[in-house]
């Protein structure tokens, strides 16, 4: 096997093993030695491919974001012609359901603490931008100014994310699945109403 | 010194030491041995007072929630006569500023993972309920039904919390302080508009 294809295979296999560990036991259980053992390679080979254990977790989280982006992108395309509230609700409930269906993978994206000063890879940032672009597209005809629209998309993402995060993490006001969907739908209805009344809010 | 007053003094001192460590280095740096050493007591005495290290962290987090509740309660009382949007904005920006001013204490409340199956103490739950009651009071004349109002308060808390959490944790769409306040104000304006238009939304 060429070195290139060995690296590629180890890349895929290590992410798969890490994902299995996270799904079963959570992010805390991820350890380089354990993954190297299960992948039948040396810890050094793992670091060779991913830089360090944070690089491996970022690679796994990137795949989670890609899957989320794909699911929401399809949902968004399917409701392009619907009124604003229905479009926003589709995105918001799609996000909530992804988190409910993949709680530990979703938590890994938001609980993972990068070492201080380490940069986020460009392709990871691109995946984040793609999620925000879906919201921007949904509100494009309500908020004409680009900067205001970006801020609005971030605020709306944060708002839905917060309800979902409290539910998944079982925190203050955190809700189980049906209650979670009711809270998200309630918020989206208010926001859509506010956007419809306000027109070009900034 | 009586045993009772020794326990009380150790209780206060250990929380103070823990808070100092969290403010300087974050929740990850909290260790029973270190706190016992700095409090000049045995680890066993610490466990005697708090049960375990999670009990100590919960006690510290309870004081953070109490301080937050006090700050927001005063802010809320001062704007009782103002229109809905101004009241909600006061609460939301008060929450955001508390997090910005005390990022690590605030993170400790939301990042602390309790051991599986451990119950949250009743007085801790009471502190959480007090925060939600401030939001419920602000929207009481818009949502008459008690259950719908509780759900609404939780959704609104979650929404603002999400924007704040992404900013403090520097996550997707996370914003620095001025941008954070703009996002929170934008969201509150939409929500207030939605509540004003919708009347008794549920």
């Amino acid at each position: 096997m060429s070195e290139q294809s060995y690296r590629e295979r180890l890349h895929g296999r290590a992410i798969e093993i890490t994902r299995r560990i996270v799904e079963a036991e959570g992010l805390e259980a991820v350890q380089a030695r354990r993954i190297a053992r299960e992948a039948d390679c040396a810890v050094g080979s793992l670091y060779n491919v991913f830089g360090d254990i944070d690089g491996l977790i970022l690679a796994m989280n990137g795949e989670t974001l890609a899957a989320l982006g794909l699911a929401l992108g399809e949902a968004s395309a399917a409701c392009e012609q619907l009124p604003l509230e229905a479009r926003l609700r589709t995105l918001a409930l799609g996000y909530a359901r992804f988190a409910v269906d993949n709680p530990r993978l979703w938590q890994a994206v938001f609980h993972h603490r990068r070492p201080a000063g380490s940069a986020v890879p460009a392709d990871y940032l691109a995946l984040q931008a793609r999620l925000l672009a879906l919201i921007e597209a949904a509100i494009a005809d309500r908020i004409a100014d680009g900067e205001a629209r970006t801020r609005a998309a971030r605020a709306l993402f944060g708002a839905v994310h917060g309800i979902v995060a409290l539910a998944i993490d079982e925190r203050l006001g955190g809700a189980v699945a049906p209650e979670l969907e009711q809270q998200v739908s309630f918020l989206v209805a208010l926001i859509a109403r506010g956007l419809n009344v306000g027109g070009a809010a900034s």
Side-chain angles (χ1 to χ4, degrees), chain A:
Chain A
M1 202 188 307
S2 74
E3 198 188 329
Q4 179 61 24
S5 75
Y6 174 77
R7 278 179 69 95
E8 277 168 18
R9 283 191 53 177
L10 181 54
H11 188 274
R13 204 161 39 151
I15 290 178
E16 200 185 304
I17 292 166
T18 307
R19 188 185 295 121
R20 210 174 53 223
I21 293 172
V22 168
E23 281 178 333
E25 303 171 42
L27 186 60
E28 294 75 29
V30 171
Q31 283 179 320
R33 265 186 312 161
R34 176 172 173 187
I35 292 159
R37 194 172 56 236
E38 294 193 26
D40 197 22
C41 72
V43 170
S45 308
L46 217 52
Y47 289 169
N48 208 8
V49 173
F50 295 100
D52 53 23
I53 192 71
D54 293 296
L56 171 52
I57 293 170
L58 270 178
M60 177 196 67
N61 285 345
E63 293 197 355
T64 303
L65 283 182
L68 173 61
L70 200 66
L72 294 185
E74 284 172 5
S76 173
C79 68
E80 241 172 17
Q81 307 306 322
L82 296 181
L84 178 67
E85 182 178 339
R87 271 181 290 156
L88 289 178
R89 192 174 49 238
T90 300
L91 286 172
L93 289 180
Y95 184 71
R97 284 169 192 157
F98 185 91
V100 168
D101 290 343
N102 307 279
R104 282 172 162 161
L105 289 179
W106 181 87
Q107 282 178 322
V109 171
F110 292 99
H111 290 180
H112 175 228
R113 312 273 155 237
R114 286 192 312 281
S118 74
V120 183
D123 58 347
Y124 194 87
L125 291 175
L127 289 164
Q128 295 185 341
R130 206 177 129 198
L131 289 181
L132 289 171
L134 291 172
I135 308 176
E136 288 200 47
I139 59 175
D141 58 350
R142 294 304 193 287
I143 303 180
D145 178 66
E147 201 181 316
R149 191 164 64 236
T150 300
R151 175 177 305 133
R154 291 185 164 176
L156 298 188
F157 172 79
V160 173
H161 170 78
I163 295 177
V164 172
L166 292 176
I168 300 291
D169 293 346
E170 296 179 330
R171 296 286 150 159
L172 178 62
V176 287
E179 163 79 15
L180 166 60
E181 298 204 355
Q182 285 180 305
Q183 285 188 23
V184 167
S185 297
F186 169 80
L187 180 78
V188 167
L190 282 187
I191 286 172
R193 216 183 285 157
L195 283 169
N196 283 331
V197 174
S202 65

